[in-house]
Amino acid sequence: MKIILASNSPRRHELMKLLNLDYEIQASHIEEINDLSLSHEELVMDLAFQKANAIFKDNKDALVLGFDTLVIIDDLILGKPKDEAEAKHFLQILSGKTHKVLTGCAMIKKGYSRSFYTQSLVTFWDITEKEIDDYIKTKEPMDKAGAYGIQDHGSIFIKSISGDYFTIVGFPISRINQELKKIL
């Protein structure tokens, strides 16, 4: 069966390789619809499903995997920053506090659809304005939910995590492996 990763994230691509499956990448470029009546958990699964389903519509013979990651603090969703000012604002909000990271996963093939999410908690050290400014200069925060990447330069801000590290990266590989064993 053809397997499609509906994501152009280099991090997800690298982790998908570890599953030793033949797959291809087809990024979905849909306009995400945020149904604000949903809980955060339902929303992240719905967004992952939207991405997977957009690719599945033209690939009915494939298993399509879609993902979405949300960073949430005090009930506020911090998405990918629109600009450097918003990235700085997000990092100031996260400084010295604990936030939640949810990664939604959707798996769709003919006659089968499954969505789930994983959750981790991340606590930041207090970070200075200079540290934030220096980090923003790397451009790394600009394409990441919450304006940081735990797997790169953003790792220096992390005091502790509770849960699966790979949820924070956006690809909870062990859970995905368990789910794939049920359907492949």
Side-chain angles (χ1 to χ4, degrees), residues 11-88:
R11 297 160 301 284
R12 289 186 180 121
H13 176 63
E14 288 301 313
L15 290 168
M16 184 79 177
K17 286 181 189 177
L18 297 177
L19 295 173
N20 293 319
L21 299 170
D22 289 328
Y23 70 97
E24 61 185 66
I25 296 172
Q26 290 187 35
S28 62
H29 300 288
I30 61 165
E31 182 176 336
E32 296 177 7
I33 300 168
N34 292 320
D35 183 345
L36 300 179
S37 70
L38 299 175
S39 69
H40 294 138
E41 294 79 7
E42 292 166 331
L43 177 61
V44 79
M45 289 188 294
D46 184 60
L47 291 168
F49 179 83
Q50 289 177 43
K51 293 172 183 178
N53 196 45
I55 300 300
F56 179 71
K57 287 178 182 178
D58 295 325
N59 295 276
K60 299 289 186 183
D61 62 333
L63 168 63
V64 181
L65 308 178
F67 299 89
D68 195 76
T69 300
L70 296 177
V71 171
I72 301 154
I73 186 163
D74 300 329
D75 212 35
L76 175 67
I77 296 173
L78 304 181
K80 294 178 182 176
K82 295 184 289 271
D83 54 31
E84 290 183 358
E86 187 169 60
K88 183 172 186 167

Side-chain angles (χ1 to χ4, degrees), residues 100-114:
K100 178 169 47 175
V101 179
L102 301 174
T103 291
C105 309
M107 299 179 171
I108 305 173
K109 69 176 188 172
K110 190 173 185 175
Y112 179 87
S113 176
R114 169 109 168 94

Side-chain angles (χ1 to χ4, degrees), residues 149-164:
I150 193 170
Q151 70 279 6
D152 294 312
H153 295 95
S155 61
I156 65 171
F157 304 139
I158 309 304
K159 182 176 183 179
S160 67
I161 66 170
S162 175
D164 179 13

